Amino acid sequence: MDSPERNQIGTPISKFEDSPVFNYINNLSPIKPVKSLHIAQTFHSLNFASIPSVFTSPHISSQKESRFLGRHHFSDFSKLEISSNDGDGGKMSTSFSGSVKLSDCSSASEQEKCDIGVSMEEFNVERSNGCSKLSVKLPQALQYVGSLGYGNPDNDTSCCAIKMETDEGASVDKLPQENPKEGTCSVETQGQYQLEQTKEEGSCYDWENLISDAAPDVLIFNSSTESVTCREEDSNMVDFDATSFALVSHPPQDEVGGLHNAQPVSSLHHDHQQQNPINQLEEVEDGEQKETDHTPQLLPSVYQNKQDTGDLSEKMDDKVGDCISLGKKVDTPQQRGMRRRCLVFDVGAQKKNAVDDSKSDSLNSMQSEGKCASDDKKLVPLRPGIGSSSQCVLPSIGLHLNALASTSKDFRIVKHESLTSVSRLISMPRSVGSFHSLTAAHNSANQSLAPNNAQGDLSSNGNAVQVMQDDLQEPALEIAEEFNQNSPKKKRRRLENAGEGEACKRCNCKKSKCLKLYCECFAAGVYCVEPCSCHDCFNKPVHEDTVLATRKQIESRNPLAFAPKVIRNSETILETGDEGINTPASARHKRGCNCKKSSCLKKYCECYQGGVGCSSNCRCEGCKNAYGRKGAGYAPAGTEEAEPEDEVSEVGEKDGIGKCQEIMEVHKDQQLIDAVLPMTPFQICRKSVKVSFFSNGKPPRPSLVTGGSSSSCVNTCQPLKKSDFLQHQLTFEKHFQINPEDETPEILRGHCSPGSGVKTTSPNGKRVSPPNRELGLSPGQRSTSTRKLILQSIPSFPSLTPYHQSNGI
DNA sequence: GAGTTTGAAACT
DNA sequence: CAGTTTCAAACTC
C-alpha cells in the first residue's frame, strides 16, 4: 500500500517540525511526527480532492445531512462500509474502524459520541472506500466524502495513503477486534481502547495525552470552550504549514474553523467532530504512529482547556487569527471555495449540531441555557476579532441569520440561540434552516416549532445563501458587538429603542404560560428565550411536548391560528375579495382588525401594526388606517402620506366577483414575476396564496392558507419604503448585497416585505407604491424591520406543521 | 416603572 | 355566532 504519497509528504513534515507548536508537542510527548506526515499528506490530498466539490453547492447540504443522518443510521453505515469494502483488505480495515465507531455512536446515547463516531465514519469511509458506492448508500457520509473529491486522482492517493497506514499500523488489526467491544460500548470505551492501545503499543501517553488523542472529542465536546480548543488545534495545524496543513485540516477543519471563527458556539460540535475523525483515524488506523500527529494539535488545545476557560477568549482570538492567516495563506481559488463551502457547511452543521444537541442531548443542553450563556459570554468578546477575517466572519453569518430568524432586532438573542441552541434554535431552523434547506434537503431542525415548509421553496436560493454568508461579515461584527451588551434589560431597551420594527418576539406573559396565542413567542411559533420576561413559561424546548400539544389543540380550533396574520396582496385580494385595495403593496391582515377606539392608527390595530391597510375583513370603526382604509384601495404611498385621512373614502366594498378580473390580473403579474425571478422568501409568501372566492366577498377567516409569508414579513416590510419588487428580485439575484447602512442583505429586506418589496403592478397594471408611511423609519429601523421580516416570516411557515417533524430524516 | 388603554384570544 | 372574560401588548404618565 505504500504509495508515492509518502514521498510527497516530506515537505509538509519538515514544515511541521519547524513550527514552534510542533516542537512544543514533541516536548510534551515522546511521539514522533513521522507518521503524522502520512496523515497530513493524506488529508492534504483529500483536501485537494475536495476542492472541486467545494464549488458544488449540493455537497454542503449533503454534508450536513450526512452528519445528522449518520448519527442515526450508524449501524447502516457500518454495514454499508463493510459490504463495499469487501474487496480490499486494507479498505476493509479502514471501513471497519469506521463501522466500529458508528456502532459506538449508535450505542452511545450521547450526541457527542455520535458526532464523533459519525465524523470518524465519514473519514473512514472516504478513505477506505473512495468508492462512489458508499456515497450512494450513505448519502450523508458519502456526500461529505464526495466533497473531499473521491473522483479525483488526489482522492485516490489519499485513500491509498490511508489504507497504507491502516495496513501498516497494528492498530488496524486491533480495530476489528475491538469492534465488537465498541459496538456495544460507548465512546468511553473508545477512549479506553485507545488508552489500551497506547499502553500496548508502548506509547507513553499521559492521561492528558490520552484524552487529547483518544477522547478529546468526547470529553471536551459539549463545552464551548472545548470548541475553542479545537480551534486552536486547527489553528495550530494551520500554523504548521499553511499550505499543506491548512489544506489537510481543511475539509473538516475548514468547516469547523470557519464556523468557529464566525460562530464559536455552534461550530463547536462540528469542530470536534471533524477533528475527531482525523484524530481517531490516526489513532485507530495508525495507532502509535499517528498519535504523534494528533498530539501536536490536540495537546495544546487540551491543556488550554484544562487551564482556563477564562482564557478562551484570548485563545479564540489566537485561533481566529490563525484561521485568518490560513485563509490568507491558502488562498487558491480552490481553497477559497473550500472555505466558503466550509462556512456553508458550518452553518448547516451548526444547525444540525444545535438541533442534534438539543434533541439528542435531550433538552439537557437546552435546559442548561444558563451554562451556555456563560460560555457564550466568553465567546462573545472574541467575535470582534473574528470579524477581522472574512472567513471567520462568514461563519458568523449563520449566527446573524439566526438572530434574524429569532429576532430581527436583537442579536443578543442570536447569541443565546446559537450557543444554547435550545430555544433559539427554533428560530434558527426557520430562518437559517430555511436557507439551509437550500443546501440540505431536509433540515433537521425539529426544534423549530414549525416545520420548514418554506425550505423547499427556498432551496432554490442556496447559492444566494452562500453569498449572503460572505456578504454578511459586517453584520456579524455588529452582532458580536451587540453580544457584548447582554443583559436582558438592555436587550429590551434596545428593542424598544429600535423603534417600530418588532424584531424579535419577546413576550411578557404572566398567566398564559406562553402557551396561548396571547404570547407572541408562541404565536410566532418560537420558543421563549432569555430576553422574554414571561413567568411560568412552558414555551421552552424542555416542555416541547406540552407546546406541541397545545399548539395542536389551538390549530384544531383554528387551523390558521399560526398562519401569518398578514397576507400578501394577491392572497389578500383573493381571500378578502378586496381588490380595491390591491395595490401591489396591499397586503392585508388575515382576519382583519376590530378596532374601535384606536382608529386603526395605533399598534393596537394588527393591521396597522402589520403595516397593512384595513380591508373589508376588518370590523373596525372609524378606521383611519394610514396604510389603507377599510374599503378603500391602497393609495399610492405618496397619496396616503399626503393625506391619509382625506382618503377616508368609505368606498363600498367591492363584490369579490366583480373584482375577479382584477385579481386575476394581479395573479398574472405575480406569476410572471415568479417565472422570471428566482424563488425568494418573498415568493414563497406568494405561493402560499390560496384562491378562494366568497359570494359575500368575505372569506371565512381561516380560509387563507399562506404557506410562506408571515405576518412578520409584512410587518417588517412595513417600515420599508416602497421599492420595486423587481428590484428586490434583482437584488436577490445579486446575492444578498448588503446595504452598508442596514447591514441587512437586501434579500432579507425586500423579499418578504410585501410593503417594501412589492412594487408590483396593480390590477390596472400600474405600479403601486407600497405604503410608505407616516412611520418614517430611520435607516436603522428599516434594517431592523427587514431583519425581522425574514425571521418572522420563516417562523410562520412552519407553524402550520408540527414542530418536530423536522427530524424527519 | 407603574398604571391605563386597547383589542385579540379565549371562553361561555 | 354573539357576548363576555382574560390576557398581554401598546401606550401614557
Side-chain angles (χ1 to χ4, degrees):
Chain A
M1 299 290 288
D2 296 345
S3 65
E5 290 176 358
R6 285 187 177 182
N7 298 338
Q8 295 175 350
I9 294 166
T11 331
I13 295 169
S14 62
K15 291 180 180 179
F16 242 96
E17 293 174 354
D18 292 347
S19 69
V21 175
F22 183 82
N23 293 338
Y24 174 75
I25 293 165
N26 288 341
N27 293 339
L28 294 175
S29 70
I31 297 168
K32 294 179 182 180
V34 176
K35 288 192 175 180
S36 61
L37 297 178
H38 291 287
I39 295 166
Q41 190 64 13
T42 309
F43 284 99
H44 178 78
S45 63
L46 290 175
N47 292 335
F48 284 107
S50 64
I51 294 168
S53 65
V54 170
F55 293 96
T56 58
S57 60
H59 288 291
I60 297 168
S61 63
S62 64
Q63 262 197 343
K64 297 174 182 179
E65 291 178 356
S66 65
R67 291 178 185 175
F68 183 78
L69 294 175
R71 294 177 184 174
H72 299 286
H73 305 285
F74 286 111
S75 61
D76 293 346
F77 258 108
S78 63
K79 292 178 181 179
L80 292 173
E81 288 180 356
I82 294 168
S83 64
S84 64
N85 290 335
D86 290 348
D88 287 355
K91 290 180 179 179
M92 285 292 289
S93 63
T94 51
S95 65
F96 249 80
S97 62
S99 65
V100 172
K101 302 222 165 175
L102 292 172
S103 63
D104 290 348
C105 293
S106 62
S107 64
S109 61
E110 293 181 359
Q111 291 178 345
E112 293 177 357
K113 294 177 180 179
C114 292
D115 291 346
I116 296 168
V118 173
S119 61
M120 286 293 294
E121 280 210 350
E122 289 176 356
F123 280 91
N124 291 337
V125 172
E126 292 174 357
R127 293 178 184 177
S128 66
N129 290 346
C131 300
S132 60
K133 290 179 179 179
L134 291 177
S135 63
V136 174
K137 292 178 179 181
L138 304 175
Q140 301 168 347
L142 292 179
Q143 289 176 349
Y144 183 84
V145 172
S147 65
L148 295 177
Y150 262 45
N152 296 346
D154 292 347
N155 294 338
D156 295 347
T157 58
S158 64
C159 292
C160 294
I162 296 167
K163 292 175 182 178
M164 290 184 63
E165 290 180 358
T166 56
D167 291 348
E168 292 176 358
S171 62
V172 172
D173 295 344
K174 291 177 179 180
L175 291 175
Q177 293 174 351
E178 290 191 355
N179 289 344
K181 294 178 181 178
E182 290 181 355
T184 54
C185 298
S186 64
V187 177
E188 294 176 357
T189 342
Q190 288 182 350
Q192 291 178 351
Y193 168 74
Q194 290 177 348
L195 293 174
E196 291 177 358
Q197 274 190 335
T198 57
K199 290 178 181 178
E200 291 176 357
E201 291 176 357
S203 63
C204 305
Y205 272 81
D206 294 348
W207 171 248
E208 291 177 356
N209 291 344
L210 291 174
I211 294 169
S212 62
D213 293 348
D217 298 341
V218 173
L219 295 176
I220 297 169
F221 229 82
N222 290 340
S223 67
S224 60
T225 55
E226 291 176 356
S227 64
V228 173
T229 58
C230 292
R231 293 180 183 176
E232 284 190 352
E233 292 177 359
D234 295 346
S235 64
N236 292 341
M237 297 281 292
V238 175
D239 291 346
F240 285 104
D241 181 352
T243 58
S244 65
F245 237 121
L247 292 175
V248 172
S249 59
H250 261 302
Q253 286 182 347
D254 249 1
E255 296 175 359
V256 173
L259 291 176
H260 289 302
N261 294 341
Q263 305 171 338
V265 176
S266 60
S267 62
L268 294 177
H269 295 286
H270 287 282
D271 292 0
H272 288 290
Q273 289 178 352
Q274 290 177 346
Q275 281 191 348
N276 290 340
I278 297 170
N279 295 338
Q280 288 180 352
L281 288 174
E282 292 178 359
E283 292 175 359
V284 174
E285 293 177 357
D286 292 356
E288 295 175 355
Q289 292 173 348
K290 290 184 178 180
E291 288 176 355
T292 56
D293 296 352
H294 298 290
T295 51
Q297 299 170 347
L298 295 174
L299 290 175
S301 64
V302 171
Y303 285 104
Q304 291 175 351
N305 291 337
K306 290 180 179 178
Q307 289 175 346
D308 7 289
T309 55
D311 294 348
L312 292 177
S313 62
E314 294 178 357
K315 292 178 180 179
M316 289 291 294
D317 293 347
D318 295 347
K319 290 177 179 180
V320 172
D322 294 346
C323 294
I324 296 168
S325 65
L326 287 174
K328 292 179 181 179
K329 290 179 181 178
V330 187
D331 253 358
T332 65
Q334 294 174 348
Q335 288 179 348
R336 270 206 162 191
M338 290 288 292
R339 292 175 187 174
R340 280 199 176 185
R341 218 189 167 186
C342 290
L343 294 176
V344 174
F345 282 87
D346 290 347
V347 173
Q350 286 179 346
K351 288 182 178 180
K352 287 184 178 181
N353 290 342
V355 172
D356 291 347
D357 292 347
S358 63
K359 281 208 165 184
S360 63
D361 287 359
S362 70
L363 308 187
N364 289 343
S365 62
M366 303 174 94
Q367 291 176 346
S368 65
E369 288 181 0
K371 181 182 178 181
C372 295
S374 62
D375 294 348
D376 295 352
K377 289 178 181 179
K378 294 176 182 177
L379 295 175
V380 172
L382 299 177
R383 289 205 169 181
I386 295 167
S388 62
S389 72
S390 64
Q391 286 181 345
C392 292
V393 173
L394 294 177
S396 64
I397 293 167
L399 292 177
H400 182 77
L401 292 176
N402 291 344
L404 293 176
S406 62
T407 62
S408 55
K409 289 181 180 179
D410 283 351
F411 290 87
R412 322 150 204 165
I413 292 173
V414 173
K415 163 189 159 188
H416 286 287
E417 291 177 354
S418 62
L419 295 178
T420 59
S421 75
V422 178
S423 60
R424 281 308 169 187
L425 285 179
I426 298 167
S427 63
M428 282 278 301
R430 291 179 182 178
S431 64
V432 176
S434 61
F435 285 97
H436 268 308
S437 64
L438 307 178
T439 59
H442 16 272
N443 291 340
S444 56
N446 292 344
Q447 288 184 348
S448 65
L449 293 178
N452 300 340
N453 294 343
Q455 289 179 352
D457 296 351
L458 295 176
S459 63
S460 63
N461 296 337
N463 294 341
V465 172
Q466 287 182 350
V467 174
M468 283 185 63
Q469 289 179 348
D470 293 351
D471 293 345
L472 291 177
Q473 293 176 353
E474 290 185 0
L477 292 176
E478 284 189 357
I479 294 169
E481 291 178 358
E482 291 184 2
F483 283 158
N484 291 342
Q485 317 171 345
N486 263 339
S487 73
K489 290 183 179 179
K490 287 184 179 179
K491 294 178 181 179
R492 273 234 152 191
R493 274 193 182 180
R494 279 195 173 187
L495 291 177
E496 291 177 357
N497 294 340
E500 308 199 330
E502 330 170 336
C504 348
K505 298 289 184 188
R506 289 177 190 163
C507 65
N508 192 28
C509 308
K510 293 176 182 177
K511 296 182 178 179
S512 67
K513 297 180 179 178
C514 298
L515 289 177
K516 296 192 174 181
L517 291 175
Y518 295 128
C519 175
E520 289 191 356
C521 298
F522 181 79
V526 299
Y527 288 118
C528 292
V529 196
E530 181 180 344
C532 294
S533 302
C534 45
H535 301 306
D536 298 332
C537 177
F538 279 77
N539 185 27
K540 293 184 177 179
V542 177
H543 303 289
E544 183 181 9
D545 295 341
T546 303
V547 173
L548 293 176
T550 305
R551 195 178 163 102
K552 273 190 174 185
Q553 183 179 351
I554 294 172
E555 284 183 334
S556 65
R557 218 188 301 151
N558 176 13
L560 297 179
F562 295 94
K565 292 180 179 177
V566 179
I567 303 164
R568 289 180 51 252
N569 56 356
S570 63
E571 296 175 1
T572 304
I573 295 168
L574 295 176
E575 189 179 352
T576 60
D578 284 345
E579 35 154 85
I581 318 169
N582 359 338
T583 65
S586 62
R588 289 286 182 275
H589 192 274
K590 178 177 63 180
R591 297 180 55 182
C593 66
N594 192 29
C595 305
K596 293 179 180 176
K597 295 183 179 180
S598 66
S599 299
C600 300
L601 288 175
K602 295 190 176 182
K603 278 193 165 184
Y604 296 126
C605 175
E606 289 191 351
C607 295
Y608 179 88
Q609 191 174 35
V612 301
C614 291
S615 66
S616 60
N617 285 340
C618 297
R619 298 162 296 282
C620 49
E621 299 175 358
C623 176
K624 296 181 180 179
N625 188 335
Y627 296 97
R629 293 176 189 172
K630 170 177 174 186
Y634 262 122
T639 308
E640 283 183 358
E641 288 178 357
E643 294 177 335
E645 295 193 353
D646 291 51
E647 287 180 352
V648 179
S649 61
E650 300 278 355
V651 177
E653 297 179 358
K654 298 178 182 179
D655 291 353
I657 299 170
K659 297 181 180 178
C660 290
Q661 274 192 341
E662 291 180 355
I663 297 168
M664 294 298 289
E665 288 181 0
V666 174
H667 245 334
K668 288 180 181 178
D669 293 346
Q670 291 259 345
Q671 288 177 351
L672 249 175
I673 295 169
D674 292 349
V676 175
L677 299 176
M679 274 294 279
T680 64
F682 183 82
Q683 286 179 338
I684 294 169
C685 297
R686 294 183 191 169
K687 287 189 174 181
S688 61
V689 176
K690 226 187 195 177
V691 178
S692 58
F693 289 93
F694 302 89
S695 61
N696 60 355
K698 290 185 179 180
R701 289 188 176 180
S703 63
L704 256 196
V705 176
T706 60
S709 67
S710 67
S711 61
S712 64
C713 266
V714 174
N715 293 342
T716 53
C717 295
Q718 119 185 25
L720 297 179
K721 293 180 181 180
K722 43 185 169 182
S723 58
D724 272 0
F725 173 80
L726 293 177
Q727 200 173 358
H728 286 286
Q729 295 282 358
L730 293 175
T731 306
F732 189 85
E733 287 179 352
K734 288 179 180 177
H735 300 293
F736 305 92
Q737 292 177 349
I738 297 171
N739 180 330
E741 293 178 357
D742 292 359
E743 295 177 353
T744 308
E746 287 186 0
I747 295 172
L748 296 180
R749 298 177 187 171
H751 284 309
C752 290
S753 69
S756 68
V758 183
K759 229 184 186 179
T760 57
T761 55
S762 65
N764 300 339
K766 294 179 181 179
R767 278 195 178 188
V768 180
S769 61
N772 286 342
R773 250 0 72 151
E774 46 178 357
L775 305 178
L777 295 179
S778 66
Q781 287 177 336
R782 282 188 220 159
S783 65
T784 57
S785 63
T786 44
R787 293 175 186 169
K788 172 185 174 180
L789 179 180
I790 297 169
L791 298 177
Q792 289 182 348
S793 65
I794 294 168
S796 61
F797 301 136
S799 63
L800 295 177
T801 60
Y803 301 32
H804 36 296
Q805 288 177 350
S806 63
N807 280 348
I809 300 168

